[in-house]
């Protein structure tokens, strides 16, 4: 693999930077304080092809690779991780599930709307009592003639209220049976499908997180993705790619905090000179930059393997684990470099510090990543 940025990556990076300066930077704290999900921003991102990065051109997408996808998420998250998170969830989870496992009719029906962000996507796996323990899910789908009837609730769902269409995992077989779960496409407006409680979160507050509730929700039989009982296996494969998303989100958040801390350290003077000239600060910056560089290489390696069609369960987990843990350390050190100012909302590192913690939790906790990695290396 090449470690240099391609011309396409450079173009995407510049496009995202310009977009952020115009549409995101002026609104960051307003959205954060009000917990506003700026749907119109994602529709503008859709016009640039960034809401369907991996979707082939025949379905209205950009037809790019995971390498460009990493660049796009990283650059967005460098400015506002909330926007990076929603862009990633839309691309890799809902859209990615249909792209990877949907039939031709499903792809033609849904991918063009998702790739342009005419529709925002959601993905429903997690429930109140089944986070990492997904096989104990309680949402059920029962066959009734030429329909499926869904009942139960999903929690911690990105775009759970605003999403126009959701891919939902539901139990169609016995509890704890990995072949007893199936995946379904559910459109907003379907009777019995509604959004529930919106979470009041520590960070990532401009990315909507909410319940999805199913009350005798009837959907056509053709909305089943793949075969009955394949849902859990599909979800695990979707999460392999999703972990590249969260690694990229972590990178962007860390780089944003590093940028802010480096700039501040050159401007802030103590004892007659910029604090960047004190070894204690300079060494912090050196450690932050080095660890982020290592995390970026792990992420790009996983993306390169994904592009080649190789299995990335271990590599994706490694990238997600390391990048997210590094980003938390980097954001913590950035606040420390800012001192008292880092504890205020007048400077960006306070928000990076709040946002970044999600990266060690979402799409599989750090502990789950270690479990995945250890299980694979001991085979």
């Amino acid at each position: 693999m090449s470690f240099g940025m391609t011309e396409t990556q450079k173009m995407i990076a510049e496009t995202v930077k310009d977009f952020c300066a115009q549409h995101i930077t002026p609104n960051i704290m307003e959205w954060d304080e009000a917990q506003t999900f700026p749907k119109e921003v994602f529709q503008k991102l859709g016009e640039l092809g960034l809401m369907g990065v991996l979707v082939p051109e025949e379905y209205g997408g950009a037809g790019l690779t995971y390498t460009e996808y990493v660049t796009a998420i990283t650059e967005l998250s460098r400015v506002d991780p909330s926007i990076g998170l929603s862009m990633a969830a839309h691309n890799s989870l809902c859209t990615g599930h249909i792209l990877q496992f949907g039939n031709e009719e499903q792809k033609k029906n849904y991918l063009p709307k998702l790739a342009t962000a005419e529709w925002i996507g959601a993905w429903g796996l997690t429930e109140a009592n089944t986070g990492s323990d997904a096989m104990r899910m309680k949402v059920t789908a029962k066959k009734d003639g030429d329909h499926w009837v869904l009942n139960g609730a999903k929690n911690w769902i990105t775009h759970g209220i605003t999403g126009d269409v959701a891919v939902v995992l539901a139990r169609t077989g016995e509890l704890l049976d990995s072949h007893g779960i199936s995946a379904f496409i559910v459109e907003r407006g379907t009777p019995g499908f509604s959004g529930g409680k919106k979470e009041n979160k520590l960070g990532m507050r401009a990315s909507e997180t909410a319940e999805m509730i199913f009350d005798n929700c009837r959907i056509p039989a053709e909305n089943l993705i793949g075969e009955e009982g394949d849902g859990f296996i599909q979800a695990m494969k979707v999460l392999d790619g999703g972990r590249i998303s969260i690694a990229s989100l972590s990178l962007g958040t860390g780089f944003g905090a590093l940028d802010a801390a480096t700039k501040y350290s050159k401007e802030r003077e103590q004892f007659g000179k910029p604090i960047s000239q004190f070894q204690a600060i300079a060494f912090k910056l050196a450690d932050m930059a080095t660890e982020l560089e290592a995390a970026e290489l792990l992420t790009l390696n996983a993306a390169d393997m994904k592009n080649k069609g190789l299995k990335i369960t271990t590599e994706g987990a490694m990238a997600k684990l390391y990048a997210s843990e590094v980003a938390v350390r980097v954001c913590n050190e950035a606040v420390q470099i800012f001192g008292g100012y880092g504890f205020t909302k007048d400077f960006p590192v306070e928000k990076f510090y709040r946002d970044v913690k999600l990266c060690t939790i979402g799409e599989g906790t750090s502990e789950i990543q270690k479990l995945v990695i250890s299980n694979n290396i001991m085979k």
Side-chain angles (χ1 to χ4, degrees), residues 316-366:
M318 286 178 171
K320 196 270 188 188
L321 169 65
Y322 189 71
S324 62
E325 294 288 342
V326 162
V328 168
R329 291 196 292 272
V330 166
C331 291
N332 181 64
E333 290 287 45
V335 171
Q336 193 71 16
I337 289 169
F338 271 78
Y341 290 114
F343 207 66
T344 72
K345 293 182 180 293
D346 295 328
F347 292 87
V349 292
E350 177 270 346
K351 183 175 180 297
F352 285 126
Y353 183 74
R354 286 187 290 108
D355 286 346
V356 75
K357 187 56 191 170
L358 182 278
C359 296
T360 66
I361 299 170
E363 293 194 36
T365 63
S366 292

Side-chain angles (χ1 to χ4, degrees), residues 36 46 165 270 326:
T36 300
V165 62
Q270 291 286 272
V326 162

Side-chain angles (χ1 to χ4, degrees), residues 169-188:
L169 283 300
R171 187 158 53 82
T172 51
E174 296 300 316
L175 198 67
L176 301 180
D177 180 4
S178 62
H179 294 284
I181 294 170
S182 302
F184 301 90
I185 299 172
V186 188
E187 294 182 24
R188 187 69 61 184

Side-chain angles (χ1 to χ4, degrees), residues 216-228:
N216 290 319
C217 176
R218 293 176 63 84
I219 59 171
E222 58 264 27
N223 284 29
L224 173 69
I225 301 177
E227 299 296 325
E228 181 181 344

Side-chain angles (χ1 to χ4, degrees), residues 109-266:
N109 284 344
Y110 295 104
L111 291 181
K113 292 179 180 179
L114 288 165
T116 58
E118 177 185 346
W119 281 12
I120 299 296
W123 193 70
L125 175 65
T126 305
E127 299 177 9
N129 295 311
T130 58
S132 301
D133 190 9
M135 282 200 294
R136 293 183 190 270
M137 69 173 57
K138 294 181 179 178
V139 170
T140 60
K142 296 187 182 299
K143 194 74 179 293
D144 182 17
D146 58 356
H147 284 75
W148 288 91
V149 181
L150 275 63
N151 279 287
K154 295 291 182 180
N155 295 67
W156 303 104
I157 308 304
T158 305
H159 315 144
I161 295 171
T162 303
D164 299 286
V165 62
V167 172
V168 180
L169 283 300
R171 187 158 53 82
T172 51
E174 296 300 316
L175 198 67
L176 301 180
D177 180 4
S178 62
H179 294 284
I181 294 170
S182 302
F184 301 90
I185 299 172
V186 188
E187 294 182 24
R188 187 69 61 184
T190 303
F193 175 31
S194 61
K197 175 189 175 186
K198 180 179 178 180
E199 301 297 340
N200 184 11
K201 300 178 295 183
L202 168 72
M204 301 289 191
R205 289 162 63 87
S207 178
E208 178 187 278
T209 305
E211 288 180 312
M212 293 194 303
I213 298 171
F214 305 93
D215 182 7
N216 290 319
C217 176
R218 293 176 63 84
I219 59 171
E222 58 264 27
N223 284 29
L224 173 69
I225 301 177
E227 299 296 325
E228 181 181 344
D230 285 352
F232 184 78
I233 307 302
Q234 293 174 7
M236 295 304 101
K237 291 180 179 178
V238 168
L239 285 173
D240 282 347
R243 284 163 185 158
I244 295 176
S245 300
I246 302 300
S248 306
L249 174 65
S250 303
L251 285 176
T253 309
F255 278 126
L258 175 61
D259 292 343
T262 302
K263 182 175 183 289
Y264 179 79
S265 72
K266 294 176 181 177

Side-chain angles (χ1 to χ4, degrees), residues 251 286-296 322-323 326 329-330:
L251 285 176
D287 287 340
M288 292 156 72
T290 300
E291 288 197 287
L292 283 172
E293 182 78 10
E296 186 172 35
Y322 189 71
V326 162
R329 291 196 292 272
V330 166

